[in-house]
Amino acid sequence: MNRIPGPRSIAGWRWNMFRFFRNPFAFQRWLYETYGTLSALGQGDKPSTVFAFGPEMNRQILTNPDFFEVSTALVKVPKDTRMGELFYNNLVLMSGEKHRRHRRLMQPAFQQDQIRQYGRDMATITGRLADEWEGRTEIDLNVEMKKLTQRIAVKTLFGVQDEEGMDRMGSLIDRMTRSLLLVTLAPVDIPFTPYHRALRIAEKLHARIRSMIHDKRRDPDETDVLAALIRAHDEDDATLTDEELIGHTFSLYVAGHETTANALTWALFLLVQHPDTYASVMEELNAVLSGSPPTLEQLSELPLLDGVVKESLRLLPPAGIGTRVTAAPCELDGYFLPERTNVFFSQLITHRLPELYEEPDRFKPRRWETIKPSAFEYLPFSAGPHMCIGWHFAMQELKIVLAVLLQRYRFSVVRDARISPNLMMRPVRGMPMRIGRHDGRFERVTVRGSIHQMIEF
Ligand code: HEM
């Protein structure tokens, strides 16, 4: 079989991976335009990393879990510790029958009618954050959105009531996950090392979630996600064990809050940088909501807001690239892939194919009134068996938060700010925003940074 095309520089795989991490979007677009749907990095005939682009590649990779499995090499936390228990009991790292069973057990907690119950919490917590901004003229929107999605996650997942309790729990988890790289590099348990600190935090968290489980078992009326998971039974009446419950709720928190914070940050950025759309969205909100937070019924009466959310997830998806590893030798796009080849699929490139999206680099939320892409043409939440279990939750949260904040403040990006998203769509230098009263003015300001490579304003 033919050799997969791709750059095979003298410096090899490392140099190309460096180029990829330095500018993931430009590198992938260059790969696609130069080599087509499939390209390989590496030296010699054995490809170590393959990039696969477009809906057909997405379909083949995401619907054949027997050949393309989720790589477990991403997390390297010692297994036989409290930290290991937190990190390894989760859907992402499960496969086959075990994954199917756990997903089935968890599904009821994420069905639309269950998630509807969280709508009021989402609006109230957002309103309180907006109160905290009173008197301020400038915020780092990304920092604030992280604070917000963290509070919403802690409240809806664990039922923690007060803001202080939400922040405490959230920051505990964040302190542990932030040190993950150092933990992986040096897992030695001696005082004052990052690993030692992370282990102690993991023990605290573990004990905290376990005691919540204990309390919720006695109170069957609680409505949070953890309570719903405790109630879950499969057809053989099996339930999730305490260890599994702890791991799942922890991973839901980790998987859900930063992605949603970044999605909110970009949706607001793109909206305020497109003054005509911004004005139309405000008209829509005023007509339907007249200043109140949206009820769930009203969310479906806001088609332009829906288009804004979908369009920003298309252009700047918080999970812009996904990865799988070949579980067995297989064929892809007519080429042979050996076992244990890393395969990247790219939401970022798929979402910008001109044959699927007219003027693909432009922010045009009204396109969603007429287009209906397939699951493999539009996949901000991925597709196939590992598709995001929290996608209804996230879509509801994104729309409620935007509706509440847009009605409270007029936003504008700080002039000449440097706006540059990284691989995970975090704006690496933050997102400085001016906030103030509504005055009927909508204008785009000049900004700098790599955002100009990604969006045609
Ligand atoms: C805008 C926000 C979000 C985005 C863009 C997003 C994106 C994704 C993507 C792309 C995947 C699949 C990865 C793959 O195929 O390898 C995924 C999986 C997952 N997400 Fe989300 N997510 C978001 C919010 C959430 C929320 C709010 C939750 C929970 C409350 C959540 C929980 C999960 C879980 C548990 C998985 C693993 C599913 C499995 O392996 O079966 N996500 N997410």
Side-chain angles (χ1 to χ4, degrees):
M1 234 176 240
N2 291 338
R3 197 174 107 140
I4 305 173
R8 311 279 163 113
S9 76
I10 301 291
W13 179 83
R14 281 192 176 74
W15 167 240
N16 283 311
M17 285 313 275
F18 170 73
R19 289 172 62 200
F20 167 60
F21 280 110
R22 201 184 44 175
N23 194 333
F25 176 65
F27 182 72
Q28 287 180 80
R29 194 167 246 189
W30 170 79
L31 270 186
Y32 177 63
E33 283 169 1
T34 314
Y35 301 104
T37 46
L38 204 69
S39 52
L41 308 184
Q43 281 168 307
D45 283 335
K46 195 168 178 287
S48 58
T49 303
V50 167
F51 284 81
F53 298 114
E56 181 48 27
M57 292 297 96
N58 297 337
R59 191 187 64 75
Q60 292 193 31
I61 294 165
L62 292 170
T63 55
N64 283 316
D66 292 343
F67 288 114
F68 298 97
E69 62 181 24
V70 173
S71 168
T72 50
L74 296 174
V75 183
K76 282 205 173 63
V77 171
K79 273 208 167 96
D80 52 350
T81 60
R82 286 289 188 227
M83 212 172 159
E85 286 172 18
L86 286 174
F87 275 97
Y88 288 103
N89 279 309
N90 73 57
L91 282 180
V92 183
L93 299 180
M94 288 177 184
S95 57
E97 188 42 43
K98 186 174 180 191
H99 176 258
R100 269 191 294 279
R101 189 184 146 250
H102 278 252
R103 197 139 170 151
R104 247 195 336 261
L105 278 166
M106 291 174 74
Q107 207 72 56
F110 289 95
Q111 260 149 11
Q112 244 166 336
D113 51 343
Q114 172 75 23
I115 287 164
R116 292 167 77 85
Q117 305 193 35
Y118 309 138
R120 194 169 309 162
D121 282 336
M122 289 170 175
T124 309
I125 295 170
T126 310
R128 285 204 214 121
L129 180 75
D131 293 342
E132 288 174 22
W133 293 351
E134 283 295 340
R136 292 175 69 178
T137 54
E138 199 179 310
I139 53 169
D140 181 333
L141 184 70
N142 194 239
V143 170
E144 296 297 316
M145 291 303 95
K146 245 187 255 166
K147 199 189 292 173
L148 177 61
T149 55
Q150 187 172 296
R151 286 178 184 175
I152 291 175
V154 174
K155 171 72 177 76
T156 51
L157 293 177
F158 303 107
V160 173
Q161 294 295 342
D162 59 306
E163 253 82 359
E164 218 179 290
M166 294 177 204
D167 289 349
R168 244 197 335 265
M169 181 102 178
S171 81
L172 213 56
I173 300 181
D174 280 353
R175 265 168 53 209
M176 187 177 68
T177 46
R178 230 179 294 136
S179 60
L180 213 54
L181 181 64
L182 293 169
V183 166
T184 301
L185 292 175
V188 275
D189 187 11
I190 41 179
F192 308 113
T193 58
Y195 181 62
H196 181 80
R197 263 196 309 272
L199 270 187
R200 299 295 88 80
I201 297 176
E203 281 158 13
K204 234 193 243 180
L205 265 174
H206 204 277
R208 183 96 203 273
I209 304 176
R210 189 185 284 281
S211 97
M212 285 177 176
I213 295 173
H214 184 73
D215 293 346
K216 283 177 208 298
R217 283 222 159 93
R218 286 188 312 199
D219 185 355
D221 296 332
E222 298 232 28
T223 54
D224 50 82
V225 172
L226 178 54
L229 294 182
I230 292 171
R231 282 195 296 269
H233 290 265
D234 65 11
E235 53 267 33
D236 301 325
D237 228 19
T239 53
L240 294 164
T241 65
D242 281 9
E243 290 317 317
E244 289 165 346
L245 286 167
I246 293 170
H248 281 311
T249 39
F250 173 74
S251 74
L252 288 169
Y253 175 86
V254 174
H257 88 285
E258 193 148 347
T259 38
T260 311
N262 291 339
L264 282 167
T265 304
W266 293 114
L268 261 168
F269 167 81
L270 287 168
L271 181 61
V272 304
Q273 286 293 80
H274 291 83
D276 292 347
T277 314
Y278 190 3
S280 305
V281 166
M282 292 313 301
E283 266 171 38
E284 184 179 84
L285 292 175
N286 290 336
V288 179
L289 307 177
S290 330
S292 308
T295 61
L296 293 167
E297 286 66 36
Q298 286 168 325
L299 282 187
S300 58
E301 296 164 32
L302 301 168
L304 189 54
L305 185 70
D306 182 63
V308 166
V309 169
K310 287 182 177 146
E311 186 69 346
S312 53
L313 288 172
R314 180 184 73 81
L315 284 166
L316 301 166
I321 189 159
T323 176
R324 294 288 185 272
V325 63
T326 50
C330 58
E331 199 189 306
L332 186 63
D333 204 25
Y335 293 99
F336 171 74
L337 299 184
E339 195 177 336
R340 312 314 300 165
T341 307
N342 296 310
V343 182
F344 286 113
F345 61 95
S346 176
Q347 288 94 329
L348 206 52
I349 296 298
T350 307
H351 288 179
R352 285 162 185 265
L353 293 175
E355 59 272 31
L356 302 180
Y357 303 96
E358 204 188 333
E359 295 194 286
D361 294 342
R362 283 194 187 275
F363 177 72
K364 294 171 76 174
R366 288 196 193 278
R367 73 170 85 234
W368 291 93
E369 290 164 10
T370 51
I371 63 169
K372 212 169 179 325
S374 76
F376 304 102
E377 294 170 341
Y378 180 69
L379 58 168
F381 297 102
S382 192
H386 282 279
M387 183 184 172
C388 181
I389 200 169
W391 79 275
H392 279 307
F393 183 108
M395 287 301 277
Q396 178 177 301
E397 182 174 354
L398 291 171
K399 289 188 212 171
I400 291 177
V401 171
L402 289 172
V404 171
L405 293 182
L406 284 166
Q407 293 188 95
R408 282 287 290 273
Y409 291 98
R410 183 173 85 84
F411 293 84
S412 59
V413 185
V414 169
R415 196 174 294 281
D416 292 329
R418 195 180 277 274
I419 307 294
S420 301
N422 70 2
L423 182 63
M424 302 313 292
M425 287 303 155
R426 188 173 60 79
V428 281
R429 291 184 181 79
M431 180 61 75
M433 278 275 179
R434 295 189 62 77
I435 52 170
R437 300 264 155 255
H438 285 289
D439 55 7
R441 278 190 310 125
F442 301 98
E443 59 168 348
R444 173 183 306 157
V445 304
T446 51
V447 295
R448 298 175 298 149
S450 66
I451 192 70
H452 289 285
Q453 295 171 11
M454 304 183 78
I455 307 292
E456 212 175 294
F457 288 103

